Amino acid sequence: MRYLPLTQPDRAAMLAAIGASSIDDLFVDVPESVRLAGPIAGLPGHASELAVERHMSALARRNMAAGDGPFFLGCGAYRHHVPASVDHIIQRGEFLTAYTPYQPEIAQGTLQMLFEFQTQVARLLGTDVANASMYDGSTACWEAIGMARRITRRGKAILSGGLHPHYVSVARTMAKYTGDALDVSPPVLTAETDIDALIAKIDGDTSCVVVQYPDILGRIADLRPLADACHAQKALLVAVVTEPVALGAIRSPGEMDADIVVGEGQSLGVGLQFGGPYVGLFGCKDKYVRQMPGRLCGETVDADGRRGFVLTLSTREQHIRREKATSNICTNSGLCALAFSIHMTLLGEAGLRALAAANHAGAVVAAERLAKVPGVRLVNDTFFNEFTLDLRKEARPIVRALAEKGVLAGVSLGRLYPGVESLANGLVVAVTETTTPEDVETLANALEEVLA
Amino acid sequence: MTAINQSGWRPTTPAQGGNAGPTFTGNKALMLEEPLIFEIGGSETTGVEIAPPATATSRLGGLARSAPIGLPGLSEPETVRHYTRLSRQNYAIDLGLFPLGSCTMKHNPRLNEKMARLPGFADVHPLQPIDTVQGALEVIQQLAHWLVTLTGMHSVAMSPKAGAHGELCGILAIKAALEKRGEGHRKVILVPESAHGTNPATAAFAGFSVENIPATEEGRVDTAALKARLGPDVAGVMITNPNTCGLFERDLKTISEAVHAAGGYVYCDGANFNAIVGRVRPGDLGVDAMHINLHKTFSTPHGGGGPGSGPVVFSERLTPFAPLPFVEKQGDHFVLVEEETAQDHHADSFGRMTAFHGQMGMFTRALTYILSHGADGLRQVAEDAVLNANYVLRSLEDVLDAPFAASGPCMHEAIFSDKGFAEGFSTIDVAKALIDEGFHPMTMYFPLVVHGAMLVEPTETESKATLDQFIGALRSVAERARAGDETLRTAPHFAPRNRLDETLAARKPKLVWQEPEPAAVAAE
């Protein structure tokens, strides 16, 4: 029991000080009929550090890691190189093992970092303000829909077909219980996005239009006309960014007048981690700040007039407002926000732009190469680091066959849209700075073999 | 650095003690002031090297960024120094006792961190072909097995991202079950006063109306009042056990039976499961759904506010309504059930709560911790946590009002109040004075049922020596509060900052950094 400092003499002395004859005296309120006599049967006892390492390492070895071979998966989670100092800093105990900064005088490290994070995120998304992070992009997206409902007092949200289908699923789950009407249809394998179709759907009942940028197939569209159409009907434009590195190369949704911009911050600092924990980004226009969910860090002064930071506007939150809270979110994703912020600080303006340029250039080369494979058509006209191939055959078994050859080829749309026949041949391929020209060549050759 | 003057800083002047007097930089030996990255970073500075692309082709659809984003960069040494300096302004469990009641800050073993960083876990994509992630799915399955067995429940949903998200998961399952039964008209969720503040928010968010059930004098649910309120409009109850007064809800089993007989469901807030793990199984108390905060009971680090992770265990009655995705073992093979179609036996699932499979990185940490402790060690964890809390309670009840000391032993947390302090002194004064003693304060003003509440949770990873030191410090501060010592009002005196103006922050929110206006600079 290497994590428990009490010795048997300690325990005896403490029981005596309390006036209890045994530890059981402290559990007298547990009814006898349900009190367990000893450790629960059927579970093993404690194990040494070495034994646990062996067990966990054996499990880890049963997975194919992204770094084990050519790797092209994206669709909401991206493999980027994370500088070594990021993981080093987040493992400092003062960050790793701190709690929510409820006592700001001794939590300025976390609070200043969150203030810096909020500023970085707001600038990246092009919004006036940003919060101190959400669980992930998908739950941030749902919270944005709820926020639009509270602001507009309308209950119909229009979701773009280019929105990540898991994000749509999360919104559907929640809408069943909040009564929002969601208008969404699956994407179509075309070069163009559905902006005009979305504009046509907006009416006086619309709370918001939710559009992903770049979208699930990797396409990029100008959001300005959509923002104008939303505002003409007093609806909000919600933009969703699943690849924040893209915003180093393309205009931000905020610049195009989106009212709320949410995102998945995993790309910067966090790593793949089989889906979580990630870090949701959430920014909006100034005028909506009191309807924004999640934690906020604000600047203030201390009794001596020195600058300091505190959690603020918590009167919107559930631990104070109880049933009148603006959202259900309680915790944030502090440590992942720290990783994001450190990575962003290491990059800076120059580094982020260079990283984005390298990602885009690599993707352009890869798209052109893969489009030359017989039986493959490039769907996109526009893209950042992710594009869709039409394989003219069902993509899902092809992805499995390529995995057996040691190539993790991308995400088949059949996996994301089970049962949607028109998308079954789609393969979404992501390229980042971790992808080498040899990786692309290996994928192209393997794809040619499998398609033959 | 002109940046320091720009932002209006001035040298520190401690109210008492220490090395009074300003320094030129505002720093004092190891007490370092740290500017914001926006004040020290540059638009051309970077801490990473990225090879410029060979091609200049653009397929960005004419949407290439033109204007600057406004992101400052730092070189690697500057970055490491900036964040290391910031880290030293934080209290953390690695530095000492962190007795935040209900938050459960226990030691975070570094083996957990090491295991979570194995490339086979850390560098795996959530949408990889299932055959390439069998080990990751087995981690989920093994952790699920432990959680179900330790709680005596039937199934577990792993995807909720945090405790409050888990509460929502449980409530949505209850709602789905009621609708399946054709009893969607049951709209009332009963929430005792002694439950967590997130509970009513969760129920309201899911479309229920919330009714409070009072607490008794002794700090437990008023069982008679609760039973009297049951009826055909009640969907269920949300109860916290052990409750926020630190007490075990003795009547939970009979409450559950009454709720079930009246057609409702029992949600248990499992945030305090660490007090009873291995000692009693919530399933045996008639609970239908309960979330488990992995960072509280199973030691995954909370990182200054998150991430959390909130798996939800279900009774057999609610299992069909659990969210997707989840892991199933078919022969030797692990399958991820995530498709909403073509899975008849999951047709009643209420859907998906998050994009991927939950907080996988927390699962590896929690499983590592669970395997390290084993079934025997986890039971010992609960016993030591309860022993430590009772030791604190009994050692201080002569100087601090302990409103429920007569109600029997507390569980893993001890509650005190500000009764007996001199006129005008309250819990916040004691809390801030504890900072000067080198401790993180306890939870303040929660739960709401106790005036000026102080909720102390030492956890099982504190030694008797540490507890004795903390007890001595709290005793001394409590005596000063009773005597009306005015210096308490301005505490902390030795922290990186004195009391911060939270009202100003809320009245004039400054949530992002902005370039100081030229006029302001000139005025200095």
Side-chain angles (χ1 to χ4, degrees), chain A residues 80 245 268 343 347 350-360 433, chain B residues 50:
Chain A
H80 289 286
V245 175
L268 291 167
H343 195 170
L347 287 166
L352 181 66
R353 282 174 179 270
L355 177 65
N359 272 251
H360 184 54
E433 75 287 355
Chain B
I50 295 153

Side-chain angles (χ1 to χ4, degrees), chain A residues 160-237:
Chain A
S160 159
L163 178 61
H164 196 299
H166 287 175
Y167 288 39
V168 173
S169 290
V170 173
R172 273 213 184 97
T173 297
M174 308 310 294
K176 267 193 263 178
Y177 301 101
T178 55
D180 291 73
L182 302 184
D183 181 336
V184 59
S185 37
V188 185
L189 279 189
T190 56
E192 303 284 312
T193 63
D194 54 355
I195 299 290
D196 291 340
L198 292 172
I199 290 175
K201 286 181 179 180
I202 304 169
D203 61 23
D205 296 328
T206 306
S207 62
C208 62
V209 175
V210 184
V211 60
Q212 187 174 316
Y213 173 86
D215 77 357
I216 186 70
L217 303 185
R219 302 170 299 195
I220 307 169
D222 188 352
L223 303 182
R224 178 68 75 165
L226 187 56
D228 292 343
C230 285
H231 298 151
Q233 291 281 7
K234 295 188 167 25
L236 304 188
L237 176 61

